[in-house]
Amino acid sequence: MPTIVVDVMPKAELLDPQGKAVAGALNRIGDSAFSAVRIGKRFELTVDGDVTDAVLAEAKRVADEVLSNAVIEDVVGIEVVE
Amino acid sequence: MPTIVVDVMPKAELLDPQGKAVAGALNRIGDSAFSAVRIGKRFELTVDGDVTDAVLAEAKRVADEVLSNAVIEDVVGIEVVE
């Protein structure tokens, strides 16, 4: 069954303390290749049937209105897989 | 600067109550195109300098050992962007 993947990340200008904590932990355990970590969400929406233009438009609307909080987050990707 | 994106999802055999709640909410507000929703995490690891094979191997190890809990989650994707 086709799946629409929606990626949501905290806005670049926000601090993302969760990501900062992980970045600090990685440095402490010696994994110093990464200078920053940001943590967002990945939604997999399963679609019954075909992904028509209407379904894709609905996914975009849902991503903006339900799955993300526009004040603090950006929808960085919507793609169909399978 | 290059970024390594790590996607982590709850294992398929687990319930994912968070996703179930979102799927129920979408149905209630009339967005019925989606039969299921699963919610995972998206990590963006910023790399200083080039993404060498060693850095990519480190990212894979970190994804398995630090960013995901192998008991309940799968690393579903590791890709370099930019």
Side-chain angles (χ1 to χ4, degrees), chain A:
Chain A
M1 252 178 320
T3 300
I4 298 175
V5 175
V6 176
D7 289 316
V8 174
M9 294 299 292
K11 278 183 191 292
E13 57 269 33
L14 295 188
L15 250 179
D16 186 19
Q18 201 183 177
K20 282 237 182 311
V22 170
L26 289 181
N27 265 308
R28 275 196 300 282
I29 63 174
D31 290 304
S32 51
F34 314 111
S35 58
V37 178
R38 295 186 75 78
I39 305 180
K41 278 175 254 176
R42 175 189 159 99
F43 297 86
E44 292 185 354
L45 311 173
T46 305
V47 178
D48 282 333
D50 293 331
V51 179
T52 59
D53 284 351
V55 170
L56 208 54
E58 186 171 333
K60 280 184 182 140
R61 195 174 45 71
V62 160
D64 287 335
E65 293 178 4
V66 181
L67 304 182
S68 69
N69 177 353
V71 178
I72 58 170
E73 293 169 326
D74 287 322
V75 177
V76 297
I78 297 181
E79 59 168 343
V80 181
V81 296
E82 277 151 81

Side-chain angles (χ1 to χ4, degrees), chain B residues 4-30:
Chain B
I4 298 175
V5 175
V6 176
D7 290 316
V8 174
M9 294 299 293
K11 278 184 192 291
E13 57 270 31
L14 294 187
L15 249 179
D16 187 19
Q18 202 182 177
K20 281 237 183 310
V22 171
L26 289 181
N27 265 307
R28 275 196 300 284
I29 63 173

Side-chain angles (χ1 to χ4, degrees), chain B residues 31-48:
Chain B
D31 289 303
S32 51
F34 314 111
S35 58
V37 178
R38 295 186 75 78
I39 306 180
K41 278 175 255 176
R42 175 190 160 98
F43 298 86
E44 291 185 355
L45 311 174
T46 305
V47 179
D48 282 334

